Amino acid sequence: MLGNPIERGLSAALIVALTTACSPNAASPASPDAAEPSEAVTTSPRHPVSGLEIIEVAIISGDTRTSFKTELAVSQADQARGLMFRETLGDDEAMLFPNDPPQTRSFWMKNTPISLDIIFIGPDRRITNIETAVPYSLESVASDGAVVAVFEIRGGLADELGIKSGDLVEWQATG
């Protein structure tokens, strides 16, 4: 028999916990008749290569809205890696590098075998400048002033789509 009140309290708590956990009324995720959760838990899609969250980013150029499935590079490590070692980037794919607070940004193409249009986005979410970067170049391309994000698409695509400085860039913040 348990002598002191603390031992009796712990023993009673353990019995309640075990009975509740083993109770047939406790729904198990593996159980076919387990109750559905009241709200479905949604997870953001992830890119199969980078594992980064994919969000939609749209560029509004005049009357044209162009959407991209965009990998969101938030962490310092993800931003440093960027699109290094990637052999392809589809015309509807991109990568976004957000930063807060706004700051001058520069990028290079070390270990990046594809040409990229690097689009710098100002605090008003409008494109400040676009630079085309060539594969493997160690020459930096920089923003024209402080930016809130950098957006990368396939090299030459900005010209093909008529994307230019002053165009609006929209995305939904996550987190």
Side-chain angles (χ1 to χ4, degrees), residues 52-172:
L52 296 176
E53 177 183 2
I54 297 175
I55 64 169
E56 179 185 346
V57 173
I59 298 179
I60 293 82
S61 183
D63 292 334
T64 305
R65 178 186 180 90
T66 306
S67 293
F68 297 88
K69 293 180 279 187
T70 304
E71 297 168 65
L72 185 59
V74 176
S75 76
Q76 195 169 20
D78 291 336
Q79 289 195 9
R81 184 175 48 256
L83 290 167
M84 283 185 180
F85 309 108
R86 295 283 280 281
E87 307 248 343
T88 61
L89 187 65
D91 286 354
D92 65 340
E93 296 177 319
M95 186 173 278
L96 183 71
F97 304 79
N99 53 273
D100 186 26
Q103 58 190 283
T104 301
R105 299 290 305 264
S106 64
F107 283 68
W108 65 352
M109 297 291 287
K110 183 178 182 178
N111 299 319
T112 307
I114 55 177
S115 178
L116 296 172
D117 285 343
I118 301 177
I119 300 171
F120 297 96
I121 305 165
D124 60 356
R125 297 245 180 146
R126 295 205 174 265
I127 296 173
T128 60
N129 61 304
I130 302 171
E131 304 294 333
T132 299
V134 298
Y136 300 109
S137 174
L138 299 181
E139 185 176 322
S140 289
V141 295
S143 62
D144 290 345
V147 296
V148 295
V150 178
F151 188 63
E152 293 181 341
I153 59 176
R154 177 182 59 79
L157 189 58
D159 276 342
E160 291 172 30
L161 297 174
I163 296 170
K164 61 196 174 312
S165 292
D167 288 348
L168 182 64
V169 184
E170 296 179 337
W171 71 91
Q172 189 69 26

